[in-house]
Amino acid sequence: MVDFEFKDFYNINDLVEIVKLLRSPGGCPWDIEQTHDSIRMDFIEEVYEAIEAIDNDNTELLREELGDVLLQVVFHTQIEREKGNFDLDAVCDEVCKKMIIRHPHVFGKVKVADTGEVLENWESIKQETKGQTTYTETLESVAVSLPALLRAQKVGKRAAKSGVDFTDTAEAIKDIHSELDKLSEAAASDNMKLMADSLGDVLFLCANAARKMGLNAEESLTVATNRFIKKFADVEKNTTIAGNTMDDYSTDQLNEIWNSIKHNV
């Protein structure tokens, strides 16, 4: 058993110490074996679970999930601390300095009229501190690891600052139709690369058409997926009521049921 002081209430310093003990000799074998890569997906999953708590307006669950996200931050920091690279204080120091620099209207003498100016200053300062001198560099700096729709929309938003954008929503929709025609041609050719490229172009255009409409493509797809699941459940319910299972129906029959339900939703 490790040397540890049990308390009625713990703080961030205790969490740092717990993670340190877990990865120390005599700690937990599993925790000791972990690397940045091995727990990479855990980090992503914990963030999404925190988002779900926010979406469900569940305060207690949010508190728990934020704790899990914080654990990931401390864990990754501990791995670097063991290598002698940095500790949690260094992480906090860097983000504090970043926030101070990017809020000159709070910590300096810069005057802003509204949120729009705040965001403009933020982006300008961000580019300067990161040494970005071209529009291309701002696009390249968008994390490749982001969900594809989110990344596409963010890249499109940054490209728009250079003037490369749809003139309006109508043009965005027109371009989507044009790419859909190309996708149909690609599908007819049975060329996998052509189909993948065309489909990618359609999805990119859809994501940025959403941006032009003031919508979040990621959220729109989430809502659409949830709607699909509800309709799917209704179709299955209809087949069950009839004393059957979905396996008893052909695709055409299931589509007929689907369409009849869709019109009623």
Side-chain angles (χ1 to χ4, degrees), residues 46-60:
E46 296 298 355
V47 171
Y48 274 114
E49 288 175 6
I51 295 300
E52 186 172 359
I54 292 172
D55 291 342
N56 293 331
D57 196 23
N58 190 325
T59 304
E60 290 186 5

Side-chain angles (χ1 to χ4, degrees), residues 71-167:
L71 170 59
Q72 290 294 316
V73 173
V74 172
F75 203 110
H76 282 279
T77 301
Q78 177 59 27
I79 293 174
E80 290 303 311
R81 180 182 181 183
E82 292 164 7
K83 298 176 183 178
N85 293 333
F86 59 79
D87 58 14
L88 191 62
D89 285 343
V91 172
C92 293
D93 174 66
E94 185 163 335
V95 74
C96 285
K97 288 175 179 174
K98 181 189 296 184
M99 296 304 287
I100 292 169
I101 290 172
R102 294 188 187 178
H103 289 82
H105 54 288
V106 176
F107 300 101
K109 297 181 180 180
V110 173
K111 302 293 183 181
V112 294
D114 51 31
T115 301
E117 285 191 20
V118 170
L119 295 177
E120 284 182 20
N121 287 342
W122 176 282
E123 288 299 326
S124 176
I125 295 168
K126 183 177 179 180
Q127 289 176 31
E128 183 180 341
T129 56
K130 288 184 176 293
Q132 297 169 352
T133 58
T134 66
Y135 286 113
T136 299
E137 287 176 332
T138 67
L139 269 58
E140 291 173 341
S141 69
V142 178
V144 178
S145 56
L146 284 173
L149 280 178
L150 179 59
R151 180 174 177 241
Q153 197 160 5
K154 196 164 185 176
V155 166
K157 181 179 180 181
R158 293 191 179 183
K161 293 182 182 298
S162 72
V164 177
D165 196 10
F166 306 116
T167 54

Side-chain angles (χ1 to χ4, degrees), residues 166 173-203 205:
F166 306 116
I173 294 173
K174 180 181 177 182
D175 284 356
I176 291 172
H177 282 297
S178 176
E179 286 300 333
L180 282 171
D181 289 339
K182 293 179 183 178
L183 178 59
S184 295
E185 293 173 9
S189 72
D190 203 27
N191 184 314
M192 291 298 291
K193 185 181 184 307
L194 252 157
M195 287 190 283
D197 287 347
S198 295
L199 180 60
D201 289 340
V202 169
L203 292 172
L205 285 170

Side-chain angles (χ1 to χ4, degrees), residues 189-240:
S189 72
D190 203 27
N191 184 314
M192 291 298 291
K193 185 181 184 307
L194 252 157
M195 287 190 283
D197 287 347
S198 295
L199 180 60
D201 289 340
V202 169
L203 292 172
F204 185 87
L205 285 170
C206 285
N208 282 286
R211 172 182 57 79
K212 200 66 179 176
M213 297 176 194
L215 301 171
N216 183 298
E218 198 77 28
E219 291 178 0
S220 296
L221 182 56
T222 296
V223 171
T225 301
N226 290 339
R227 192 163 57 240
F228 175 87
I229 293 172
K230 184 182 183 304
K231 292 175 183 176
F232 184 94
D234 289 340
V235 170
E236 186 165 28
K237 183 179 178 181
N238 272 260
T239 63
T240 303

Side-chain angles (χ1 to χ4, degrees), residues 4-12 14-15 18:
F4 180 72
E5 179 186 354
F6 294 93
K7 302 178 180 179
D8 292 328
F9 186 87
Y10 300 96
N11 58 33
I12 182 64
D14 295 310
L15 178 58
I18 287 171

